[in-house]
Amino acid sequence: MKNKKLLFGIILIGLLAGSCYTEVIVEDDFIEESPINTALVLESYDLWYVDINETRGNGEVPFLQRAFTISFDRGTVYANNNLSGLGKTGNGKGIDVGLYATLAGQVEINHDVDGLWLLDVYALDNNTLEIYDSRSDTSYVLEGYQKSQFDYDMVFYDNIQYVLQEYQVWEKTYTSELGALNEFDNENYLQFFSDDGGYFRSSLDAQGIPLTNIQWAYQGDYQVFDVANDATLKTLTLDYDFLGNDYFELYVINDNTIELYHVSSGTVYEFTGRGYIQYLKSNGGTGKKRSKTNNPVMNVSRQRNM
């Protein structure tokens, strides 16, 4: 196993002080050290945020690849696999996805769907762990938080593209009276996919019809953007095949309601999610998996007056 530079923080040092054996290898300024009292380390925080952009290796641990957070509580593993319901499901910890037992510097997880995994546990600092799967030579970085200190809104906005994909359909439920007439006024349904980097469909069908009856009139690519110097604003472009594009400021109202501000017309639209897709467990090759994301950045100013 490649050496990793591991720095123990004060909290984890205290937790690990009771261990009877620790192996330290010093070579080329790298220190490899495993937390022996693994159970105390894993249970020292309510939530471990899976920082997917820090993942290293070409393999994957399926249940970590899907999770926004993972928790270890007296032998039970919990995960937040959805953004909708984040902070509410399972008293904030998410759903029960399996069981775990600890060894010296390792955790054995028996996932309800993905089976048995023996993973190495390393402390990077006082609230950061590295979980290493030797079979695939893949590492995940987990950041520890207590529930009272966890910024659920930050996770929501940092991963907002997944919110769009957690409902089968987004139905338009409100259009402001203010705003110039435009063609988007007629579009009542949106559907977002993660395939091919971001694909969407829209429909002109009347509101309130069964999802199975929706006829899709338009399609194209969509892109979510970060905004320079404004961490709480995202923008969205809908690039219609052969028809140009629409540009919106994207706001999240609640778990199942988004707001699109059509900048060119000054119109505000609300869309409500229908057909919630709950990622209870991973399921082979199906369902959502997180991937490293680096949204492009727009150098624009917020146009909507809040």
Side-chain angles (χ1 to χ4, degrees):
M1 182 189 305
K2 59 184 179 181
N3 290 319
K4 306 173 182 66
K5 187 175 183 180
L6 306 176
L7 304 177
F8 273 81
I10 296 175
I11 294 176
L12 289 182
I13 288 176
L15 292 174
L16 307 181
S19 61
C20 60
Y21 173 78
T22 300
E23 180 181 7
V24 179
I25 302 173
V26 179
E27 180 181 339
D28 298 330
D29 296 327
F30 284 81
I31 301 176
E32 181 176 293
E33 191 167 356
S34 295
I36 301 305
N37 204 335
T38 313
L40 284 177
V41 172
L42 295 176
E43 296 166 5
S44 61
Y45 288 97
D46 295 329
L47 298 161
W48 294 95
Y49 176 64
V50 182
D51 189 350
I52 204 70
N53 286 334
E54 293 298 319
T55 304
R56 297 187 298 275
N58 296 320
E60 67 174 29
V61 178
F63 56 88
L64 289 177
Q65 196 72 31
R66 298 174 192 277
F68 293 99
T69 71
I70 190 165
S71 300
F72 300 89
D73 186 2
R74 294 169 292 182
T76 301
V77 182
Y78 297 89
N80 277 300
N81 295 333
N82 283 81
L83 287 171
S84 297
L86 188 69
K88 303 172 186 176
T89 304
N91 196 25
K93 292 184 178 181
I95 59 171
D96 176 350
V97 297
L99 303 173
Y100 72 94
T102 56
L103 305 169
Q106 295 179 310
V107 59
E108 184 179 67
I109 296 176
N110 188 3
H111 191 270
D112 291 347
V113 173
D114 295 323
L116 200 62
W117 295 77
L118 183 61
L119 306 172
D120 297 326
V121 181
Y122 297 92
L124 301 183
D125 60 31
N126 66 322
N127 74 326
T128 309
L129 296 180
E130 178 180 343
I131 304 296
Y132 177 73
D133 175 36
S134 59
R135 289 182 295 181
S136 63
D137 191 25
T138 302
S139 292
Y140 291 83
V141 173
L142 277 56
E143 299 171 1
Y145 296 89
Q146 306 302 348
K147 287 189 297 182
S148 61
Q149 300 171 335
F150 190 60
D151 190 344
Y152 291 97
D153 289 339
M154 175 274 295
V155 176
F156 227 91
Y157 273 94
D158 279 355
N159 297 278
I160 201 167
Q161 63 273 19
Y162 294 111
V163 177
L164 301 179
Q165 300 162 17
E166 288 187 356
Y167 290 89
Q168 296 178 33
V169 170
W170 291 89
E171 179 181 3
K172 185 188 291 179
T173 50
Y174 169 80
T175 302
S176 65
E177 294 183 3
L178 294 176
L181 294 175
N182 67 93
E183 292 184 356
F184 193 75
D185 287 339
N186 300 318
E187 298 180 47
N188 290 323
Y189 296 95
L190 292 171
Q191 189 175 50
F192 296 93
F193 303 90
S194 60
D195 302 337
D196 301 322
Y199 167 75
F200 83 96
R201 301 194 294 186
S202 67
S203 172
L204 307 175
D205 286 341
Q207 295 162 287
I209 67 173
L211 300 185
T212 54
N213 292 348
I214 295 175
Q215 300 294 313
W216 300 103
Y218 304 115
Q219 64 185 29
D221 297 323
Y222 75 94
Q223 178 67 62
V224 174
F225 293 84
D226 295 335
V227 174
N229 303 315
D230 195 338
T232 62
L233 177 63
K234 303 290 182 179
T235 60
L236 172 70
T237 59
L238 302 181
D239 187 2
Y240 295 83
D241 292 348
F242 314 112
L243 293 174
N245 62 70
D246 278 313
Y247 166 65
F248 305 89
E249 292 179 353
L250 172 60
Y251 300 91
V252 175
I253 305 303
N254 55 43
D255 284 359
N256 71 335
T257 307
I258 59 173
E259 188 173 85
L260 300 181
Y261 176 65
H262 194 252
V263 174
S264 62
S265 71
T267 309
V268 176
Y269 305 98
E270 285 187 7
F271 283 81
T272 299
R274 291 180 58 188
Y276 177 52
I277 304 169
Q278 187 173 32
Y279 300 104
L280 293 175
K281 322 284 184 185
S282 55
N283 184 16
T286 64
K288 171 192 66 65
K289 289 184 181 180
R290 296 175 69 200
S291 58
K292 293 184 179 182
T293 57
N294 185 17
N295 292 333
V297 177
M298 274 192 177
N299 190 14
V300 296
S301 298
R302 189 187 299 255
Q303 297 299 303
R304 188 184 172 200
N305 294 321
M306 302 298 289

